[in-house]
Amino acid sequence: MSESTSLPIAAKISLTGGSDFWHSTPVPEADLPAVILTDGPHGVRKQAGATDHVGLNESVPATCFPPAVGLASTWNPALVEEVGRALGIESRALGVGVLLGPGANIKRSPLCGRNFEYFSEDPHLTGRLASAYVRGVQSQGVGTSLKHFAANNQETDRMRRSSEVDERTLREIYLRGFGTVVRTARPWTVMCSYNRINGVLASQNHWLLTEVLRDEWGFEGFVVSDWGAVRDRVAALTAGLDLEMPANKAHEDAVRRALAAGEIDEPTIDRAYRRVEAVLRRAHDSVKDADGRFDVDAHHGLARRAAEQAIVLLSNDGVLPLDPADFGDAGSLAVIGEFARTPRYQGAGSSRVNPTRLDNALDALHAVLGRDVPFAPGFTTDPRNPVAEGAHEEAVTLARTAGLVLLFLGLGENHESEGYDRTTLDLPAEQLALLDDVLAVNPNVVVVLSNGSSVLLPFADRVRAVVEGWLLGQAGGPALADVLFGVVNPSGRVAETIPVRLEDCPSYLTFPGDATGVHYGEGLFVGYRGYDAQQREVAFPFGHGLSYTTFAYSDLSVGSAASGVRVEVTVTNTGDRAGREVVQAYVSIDRSSVVRAPRELKGFADVTLEPSDSRRVGIDIPMEDLAYWSVRDHRWVVEAGSYTVAVGASSRDLRLSAAVELAGDEPVRPISLDTTIGEAMAVPGFGEQLMARFAETMGGLGEPDEDMARMLADIPLAAAIGFSGMDPEQFDEVIARANAVRGV
Ligand code: BGC
């Protein structure tokens, strides 16, 4: 950008920091006005008056779509992209140039207070959905900010704590989803997180912000700090950060002083300036004529469609769907629980949106039945006074005479929020007590849940059905009513495992760490990878969700090409209602030289079918998705071998499987004295030579039995040569020749 070279350096420095809470600094010399960057992710939070970044002060009305926990349960990238487009339209209309989302952090523990803002415990699902979001928003000419980069998997001490993660786990679990989004959806900006990663602040982490993000993944946009994440702007700019938010004049002065002292050079400042300028100019061009108008009704309708697909039917003994004809008289159906009237529909903190409208389930149930339904709140949503005088008793009395009770339970805003983690997975005690007392007088109870992250469901077997509503955005109420009455056939799937006990969670022992850091001790075994490896019972497995119809799987075919693996399976709707099935493909390798989870999600696709209809569903798994991160080679490696692809309706409801042989792309490793006999024997040609040498020196070798062969296999050549009395120098020659033949 030739323009930038003639610009005063002070102007360039000014663009590396915001001008206030939500605006970049205007650069009149470059004819670049201030641009608004604001939250996100599931709605536009443009504050008109007093500003803060934790959702305290009101913002202008915008559609509140389901937060990521809800969007993720749809397992529907096309729908998420549509939501993204609507968010892009609203951003543009409201003059917002960069919408701060999506959040692509992995749900390492269900206790993380901010899980509602993240998609999943799985990087494949996270990467696919976050990419769809980015594509949708950016299709409207406004930017996204992929956050919080990286390894920000808890809120406890989030601005200081070091996430201590081994190299392979970082790559395969915590960075993989981010990498997918950067490479396939090209977000205009990436937001670095507050925390340290293996001791180094993300905002000052050259490896993260430059080597991985730019050099490996080809990121071309700018890196913005999380709000207040920069300690030292000079160090951050040097590491690869481009824009510090919000404004920090002291840091700007420090850059000027560092420049004068030769501690930072002009090209480093120029680089950041050019990156920020390029993106903000594009964003400004899109939003400069913002008129505040968007189709409020259409977006509300889309929020409702998204909510419909986000709802997960966890269990059902056949009581659902309800039939309005069964509830003719006023007393036959009772609704209990304040959440039916006062929905919990989004998370607390910086993502809090001021909705254009808010529909509740109680009104929607009235509408479906065409009359009022008796209601008792049972508890309040006021954290200071959760049980209002007499409310519990009133609800139990109502339950006693009802034919069926719809009991709305969940977590309040105070239970889960940005800024702190939960300490328990239990529902609030007063709600569990209410459930017990209602069940004591009426066995016909359907529980409807509102929560941003998993809760324990020890009562699931005692109630007739459990409907997991997560957080559904502003139109969740009617979506819930439609699912309960079968107007909508539920098709959501959990994007996180629901455990039986907190103690079963793979991260339990090390979450949330202490001042020495949070040690990601479970390594790769996050979420279902851990539960499956340890064969732990779970309440509801990753990928689970019921329907009012049934689906059969047949004719699985799995084929390979250089680009990857093609999976095809026929899905048939064997029930009597139209429905959507989410077909999931999990991959495992039969024998591996490295530690592996028993199975990993590598693809999924949905199909909507009328009763008796069948369709062939195809899933492509790119070869690179089958790679593991080799710590020996510091690169992705696809092992040669037999891979099993299992398809089904959840990670623990796999219906069909087939194997496919892959050649892999393992590096040829030079033979050395550290090579074991087993490894050497696997090298074509070399094994025979080796045995011949040993036989020569030792005067003949008998055929070892199986146990002996196993023992020998792990002996390095150096030791074997020592045992045999062979001259090591003579052996060096043999090794050198073998390596030369193999080109290493
Ligand atoms: C959050 C970010 C958010 C920013 C601006 C921070 O506290 O971690 O997600 O985008 O504030 O509100």
Side-chain angles (χ1 to χ4, degrees):
M1 182 128 337
S2 54
E3 212 180 303
S4 79
T5 44
S6 56
L7 219 59
I9 190 71
K12 293 183 191 173
I13 293 174
S14 74
L15 197 65
T16 65
S19 59
D20 62 18
F21 234 84
W22 303 119
H23 290 85
S24 63
T25 302
V27 188
E29 300 92 324
D31 199 21
L32 180 68
V35 172
I36 299 177
L37 305 88
T38 195
D39 295 299
H42 62 281
V44 182
R45 186 170 72 100
K46 187 185 165 194
Q47 286 183 317
T51 55
D52 68 275
H53 74 295
V54 283
L56 297 177
N57 295 308
E58 283 271 287
S59 48
V60 299
T63 310
C64 178
F65 291 97
V69 62
L71 290 180
S73 305
T74 69
W75 290 58
N76 187 342
L79 182 59
V80 174
E81 189 166 337
E82 212 181 324
V83 169
R85 269 199 298 279
L87 289 167
I89 289 169
E90 293 194 21
S91 301
R92 218 178 47 201
L94 297 173
V96 169
V98 178
L99 189 63
L100 303 176
N105 296 95
I106 292 293
K107 301 185 190 202
R108 175 175 178 244
S109 165
L111 292 174
C112 172
R114 210 174 181 182
N115 275 358
F116 63 82
E117 220 173 314
Y118 301 138
F119 292 97
S120 177
E121 65 191 24
D122 178 82
H124 177 81
L125 186 56
T126 296
R128 290 267 302 273
L129 297 177
S131 297
Y133 174 104
V134 168
R135 273 196 301 273
V137 174
Q138 294 188 172
S139 71
Q140 300 308 309
V142 296
T144 54
S145 198
L146 179 66
K147 65 191 188 182
H148 308 89
F149 191 55
N152 177 188
N153 309 98
Q154 65 187 50
E155 294 297 287
T156 304
D157 206 5
R158 65 172 168 163
M159 298 182 93
R160 284 193 310 184
R161 198 152 289 184
S162 179
S163 299
E164 300 288 318
V165 201
D166 69 82
E167 179 183 340
R168 188 170 161 213
T169 300
L170 249 183
R171 292 293 190 153
E172 289 189 29
I173 305 291
Y174 296 100
L175 296 182
R176 203 168 200 160
F178 281 101
T180 302
V181 183
V182 170
R183 283 185 288 99
T184 67
R186 306 199 160 267
W188 293 7
T189 86
V190 165
M191 185 192 292
C192 75
S193 54
Y194 287 124
N195 53 290
R196 293 178 163 82
I197 300 168
N198 293 328
V200 183
L201 281 170
S203 61
Q204 294 172 202
N205 198 317
H206 185 268
W207 171 79
L208 185 74
L209 302 185
T210 297
E211 292 164 48
V212 174
L213 181 63
R214 293 188 186 274
D215 300 348
E216 286 183 33
W217 299 347
F219 177 64
E220 287 172 348
F222 69 75
V223 175
V224 57
S225 70
D226 199 343
W227 267 230
V230 170
R231 298 281 175 86
D232 174 345
R233 197 187 294 177
V234 174
L237 290 172
T238 308
L241 183 118
D242 306 298
L243 172 62
E244 174 182 3
M245 286 300 285
N248 189 321
K249 283 295 161 209
H251 284 178
E252 188 176 324
D253 292 345
V255 176
R256 281 203 199 93
R257 282 197 306 274
L259 182 66
E263 286 154 15
I264 186 167
D265 57 16
E266 203 166 328
T268 303
I269 294 165
D270 200 50
R271 182 183 69 187
Y273 172 82
R274 276 185 285 109
R275 290 170 179 162
V276 178
E277 197 253 9
V279 168
L280 293 186
R281 194 173 292 285
R282 253 205 291 176
H284 172 68
D285 282 348
S286 304
V287 303
K288 59 179 186 294
D289 301 321
D291 60 4
R293 292 215 305 254
F294 57 89
D295 191 337
V296 173
D297 292 340
H299 288 189
H300 186 73
L302 175 58
R304 178 166 171 173
R305 260 198 298 131
E308 287 167 0
Q309 292 198 18
I311 295 165
V312 184
L313 179 60
L314 290 176
S315 65
N316 180 20
D317 70 359
V319 66
L320 298 183
L322 305 176
D323 183 349
D326 294 341
F327 300 102
D329 58 307
S332 57
L333 181 71
V335 177
I336 294 177
E338 184 59 49
F339 292 120
R341 182 170 62 180
T342 310
R344 169 92 200 290
Y345 61 102
Q346 64 177 332
S350 64
S351 69
R352 191 189 274 133
V353 176
N354 179 14
T356 58
R357 190 181 297 176
L358 182 57
D359 294 343
N360 68 42
L362 191 58
D363 290 345
L365 289 165
H366 291 172
V368 170
L369 287 175
R371 62 169 174 79
D372 278 2
V373 182
F375 168 72
F379 53 88
T380 80
T381 52
D382 175 0
R384 288 155 310 178
N385 178 27
V387 198
E389 174 90 36
H392 181 103
E393 296 71 20
E394 181 206 358
V396 177
T397 305
L398 175 62
R400 183 166 303 166
T401 53
L404 186 104
V405 176
L406 293 175
L407 184 53
F408 285 72
L409 305 177
L411 299 178
E413 284 213 345
N414 55 316
H415 294 114
E416 47 183 355
S417 167
E418 172 178 346
Y420 55 88
D421 294 315
R422 281 192 289 165
T423 52
T424 171
L425 296 185
D426 292 330
L427 281 169
E430 66 279 2
Q431 294 186 34
L432 291 172
L434 178 63
L435 171 64
D436 278 342
D437 291 351
V438 165
L439 274 174
V441 298
N442 191 333
N444 292 319
V445 175
V446 170
V447 169
V448 181
L449 294 166
S450 303
N451 45 295
S453 178
S454 293
V455 291
L456 299 184
L457 304 169
F459 51 81
D461 291 342
R462 294 194 288 139
V463 298
R464 302 206 49 197
V466 179
V467 176
E468 177 54 272
W470 301 117
L471 305 179
L472 293 172
Q474 67 180 47
L480 282 168
D482 283 352
V483 163
L484 290 166
F485 278 92
V487 181
V488 166
N489 190 351
S491 62
R493 302 302 171 92
V494 295
E496 59 195 80
T497 307
I498 302 180
V500 175
R501 307 177 313 156
L502 172 61
E503 293 78 2
D504 293 335
C505 300
S507 59
Y508 174 71
L509 292 175
T510 52
F511 180 95
D514 55 32
T516 66
V518 46
H519 298 263
Y520 286 40
E522 72 288 357
L524 300 167
F525 297 97
V526 177
Y528 68 91
R529 288 168 168 78
Y531 295 106
D532 287 354
Q534 300 200 294
Q535 298 188 3
R536 289 233 160 99
E537 197 195 324
V538 300
F540 295 99
F542 178 76
H544 169 81
L546 302 176
S547 166
Y548 297 148
T549 188
T550 49
F551 297 95
Y553 289 64
S554 59
D555 299 322
L556 174 66
S557 75
V558 177
S560 72
S563 59
V565 170
R566 168 86 183 159
V567 182
E568 286 185 16
V569 66
T570 300
V571 179
T572 306
N573 183 342
T574 49
D576 55 11
R577 277 169 190 267
R580 184 177 78 105
E581 173 74 336
V582 178
V583 180
Q584 302 163 38
Y586 293 85
V587 177
S588 49
I589 178 165
D590 293 357
R591 248 202 314 267
S592 176
S593 62
V594 293
V595 170
R596 299 266 194 166
R599 68 190 62 83
E600 294 184 289
L601 180 76
K602 293 295 175 188
F604 61 92
D606 67 349
V607 57
T608 300
L609 294 169
E610 293 297 320
S612 308
D613 272 4
S614 287
R615 190 140 349 124
R616 199 93 183 121
V617 176
I619 295 173
D620 285 307
I621 304 174
M623 200 58 89
E624 62 264 25
D625 285 4
L626 295 174
Y628 76 94
W629 180 263
S630 167
V631 174
R632 277 169 94 179
D633 308 296
H634 304 294
R635 75 156 171 92
W636 294 102
V637 170
V638 178
E639 264 186 298
S642 173
Y643 288 74
T644 299
V645 179
V647 297
S650 89
S651 61
R652 292 199 177 176
D653 182 10
L654 297 167
R655 310 282 179 84
L656 297 170
S657 70
V660 61
E661 267 318 304
L662 297 180
D665 63 2
E666 286 167 285
V668 178
R669 297 183 199 289
I671 302 166
S672 72
L673 289 177
D674 204 38
T675 303
T676 63
I677 293 185
E679 288 161 355
M681 294 302 288
V683 178
F686 183 69
E688 295 77 30
Q689 270 187 51
L690 182 70
M691 283 303 122
R693 283 297 168 129
F694 280 133
E696 235 170 68
T697 321
M698 299 169 77
L701 279 180
E703 187 62 30
D705 64 19
E706 209 180 305
D707 294 345
M708 178 59 92
R710 279 179 66 187
M711 201 168 78
L712 289 175
D714 274 359
I715 299 180
L717 294 182
I721 293 165
F723 296 149
S724 72
M726 214 184 289
D727 171 7
E729 274 184 23
Q730 203 192 359
F731 218 84
D732 285 346
E733 250 181 71
V734 180
I735 292 179
R737 239 180 299 126
N739 283 336
V741 170
R742 300 164 73 231
V744 284

